[in-house]
Amino acid sequence: MTEIIRFIIGFLLIVGGFLSLVTAFGLLRLPDVYTRNHAASKSATLGVMSILLATFLYFYLEHGHFNSRLILAIIFIFVTAPVAGHLMARAAYHSGVKLWDKSVQDDLKHKKEYEQQNSN
């Protein structure tokens, strides 16, 4: 039983580290603020949550110590990080940050034009 637990904990740590590495590469290599924001908000959230879950499982199953702060941190990150990523992308779009030159579709362009026509 303990070998299975150690395997699960190790797997969660490796997945968390890999997703954090994907986040770093995404921030360095992706072309515009919107795709970088997507990389930062999605993979970083899952990476941090995997590491926190591995930490919780290690201390709970190996040492018998239940840490409610880790559970609260996982819930807090799960709720706030995607919302923050969405709001940053929305703020960038409304402040006029341009899309990448090779972007195919701008779903908000027609909505923004419609709102500007109706406000006049």
Side-chain angles (χ1 to χ4, degrees):
M1 181 73 169
T2 58
E3 292 302 318
I4 295 172
I5 292 169
R6 289 180 183 159
F7 176 78
I8 291 171
I9 291 169
F11 178 75
L12 286 172
L13 287 173
I14 290 171
V15 167
F18 175 74
L19 289 171
S20 297
L21 186 66
V22 167
T23 300
F25 283 131
L27 290 175
L28 293 174
R29 299 287 298 162
L30 292 173
D32 66 347
V33 69
Y34 304 106
T35 55
R36 288 179 187 153
N37 186 23
H38 181 77
S41 64
K42 303 298 185 256
S43 60
T45 301
L46 291 174
V48 169
M49 285 176 45
S50 296
I51 292 172
L52 287 176
L53 184 60
T55 305
F56 173 77
L57 289 175
Y58 174 76
F59 282 110
Y60 183 66
L61 298 174
E62 293 285 333
H63 298 291
H65 177 69
F66 181 81
N67 193 343
S68 59
R69 287 180 272 172
L70 284 173
I71 298 296
L72 289 174
I74 291 169
I75 293 169
F76 181 75
I77 289 171
F78 182 73
V79 171
T80 58
V83 173
H86 172 75
L87 290 176
M88 285 188 289
R90 185 176 171 154
Y93 187 82
H94 288 298
S95 65
V97 177
K98 300 291 182 197
L99 293 171
W100 183 37
D101 295 338
K102 295 181 182 179
S103 292
V104 178
Q105 186 174 352
D106 184 2
D107 291 334
L108 294 176
K109 183 178 181 180
H110 299 295
K111 182 179 178 185
K112 190 173 183 179
E113 290 171 356
Y114 177 76
E115 288 175 357
Q116 288 176 348
Q117 289 175 355
N118 288 339
S119 67
N120 293 332

